[in-house]
Amino acid sequence: MADPVTLASIILVAGLLMYALFGGADFGGGIWTALAFGPRAREQREALFNAIGPVWETNHVWLIFVVVTLFTAFPAGFGNLFVVLMTPLVLALVGINFRGAAFAFRHFGRESKRETPLSARVFEIASVLTPFTLGLAVSAAAAGRIVIAGCIPTENVSAWLNPFTILGGVVGMAICAYLAPVYMTVRVTGKLQEDFRKESLAAGLALGILTSLMIPLAHYQAPLFAKRLFNSWPMLFVMLAVLAGIVTETLLWLRRYFWAQLLAGATIVFTMAGFAAALHPDILIGQLTLRAAAAPYPTLVAFLAVLPIGALILVPSLFYLYWTFRGEPSSDLPP
């Protein structure tokens, strides 16, 4: 029988990956509504809002799944993380709520012909704030500055606010800003498609530069993480991420948009898998291992037994939703 701690940790990482791929693109749409420029800026924003509309609430199912998995399967990790990282996580929660409210008010304003610019600005700001603070929190787990001395620690600002975590927050934003325009290239046509293609190429280049900068910075700010990153499995994922990123840029250059979106997703999967492999076997690097943070064996077995039952209901529903609103050019948008 497979080790339940290992299985639970794989499920946790899988949930994070799904949130990055779907929720990340959702946040990226908000980022690009703020960054949209040129003669078709308004059309770009409309296309992004139309794409986000059917799935923006559903994407947060993956975040709920991650949180539930964390406090069920790794309660000690949940307790330590949510105490030390309370500030960035609360800011992320505030961003998610304000973003959802602003999106709903914007939609209501359009329907009632009383649209307010403030709702769009709040949506854009929250779309930037949330992935930044989530990236900040995730990077803090690998920075090695969270110290556990026999009990749940108190909040320490330097544990989550330092050059390594700040760059990690920017990388979180860059991941979101990378996925959104790539996904949009299969949803629009004509000049709008070219706009999103150019944004995708620029975002891919920016993400490559930022993730490359993380490695030398980690040597100074997170030495244990940097050391582990050069082990076989983490480095394999890093090299696969680089390869997938280069192939994605090539496909975008050649206007092979369907395959580009698949490879863009693979780029993010390999990037985050490399991070998780370097963090392993810890949940807080150098301080708390996954095994030490894990729930008792009966709890893990019960969690793993119930999970397939929930998945049997949830996964087909989500698949049907995503398939219904899959990437196809919209006839309602100008070319």
Side-chain angles (χ1 to χ4, degrees), residues 32-274:
W32 280 108
T33 60
L35 298 179
F37 63 93
R40 289 172 296 279
R42 181 178 179 84
E43 287 83 357
Q44 291 177 35
R45 294 188 181 98
E46 288 300 317
L48 288 163
F49 273 110
N50 289 341
I52 293 170
V55 295
W56 67 278
E57 290 181 294
T58 306
N59 289 330
H60 292 299
V61 167
W62 299 111
L63 179 60
I64 296 168
F65 174 78
V66 169
V67 173
V68 171
T69 300
L70 188 60
F71 75 66
T72 303
F74 302 100
F78 175 85
N80 283 283
L81 285 169
F82 275 73
V83 169
V84 178
L85 304 176
M86 178 175 288
T87 299
L89 291 175
V90 166
L91 288 173
L93 182 62
V94 169
I96 290 171
N97 280 275
F98 271 77
R99 183 177 182 274
F103 187 89
F105 278 122
R106 180 189 183 277
H107 177 74
F108 175 79
R110 291 178 65 193
E111 293 293 319
S112 61
K113 310 300 182 184
R114 292 182 294 176
E115 186 172 353
T116 58
L118 179 61
S119 62
R121 299 294 84 77
V122 171
F123 177 78
E124 293 164 3
I125 293 169
S127 295
V128 172
L129 172 69
T130 307
F132 175 76
T133 51
L134 288 174
L136 203 75
V138 171
S139 301
R145 299 195 181 195
I146 299 175
V147 179
I148 302 173
C151 61
I152 292 181
T154 57
E155 185 178 5
N156 180 5
V157 174
S158 65
W160 57 264
L161 192 61
N162 54 72
F164 180 75
T165 59
I166 290 172
L167 185 56
V170 176
V171 169
M173 292 167 50
I175 287 174
C176 300
Y178 173 59
L179 289 172
V182 177
Y183 290 176
M184 289 303 298
T185 56
V186 298
R187 296 176 179 271
V188 295
T189 58
K191 293 180 180 179
L192 266 184
Q193 191 175 60
E194 280 299 302
D195 290 342
F196 285 119
R197 170 179 171 268
K198 292 173 183 177
E199 291 170 0
S200 301
L201 289 167
L205 181 61
L207 179 60
I209 293 171
L210 289 169
T211 50
S212 298
L213 289 174
M214 285 288 285
I215 296 175
L217 183 61
H219 278 284
Y220 296 99
Q221 296 289 323
L224 180 56
F225 175 79
K227 180 181 178 181
R228 291 184 183 179
L229 192 62
F230 285 93
N231 291 338
S232 56
W233 277 107
M235 186 49 57
L236 173 62
F237 286 125
V238 169
M239 297 307 297
L240 287 173
V242 172
L243 179 61
I246 292 172
V247 174
T248 303
E249 294 289 278
T250 303
L251 290 169
L252 287 168
W253 186 264
L254 297 174
R255 296 176 174 82
R256 300 293 189 265
Y257 300 121
F258 174 79
W259 293 106
Q261 71 171 346
L262 296 181
L263 267 294
T267 302
I268 303 309
V269 168
F270 290 136
T271 299
M272 295 184 64

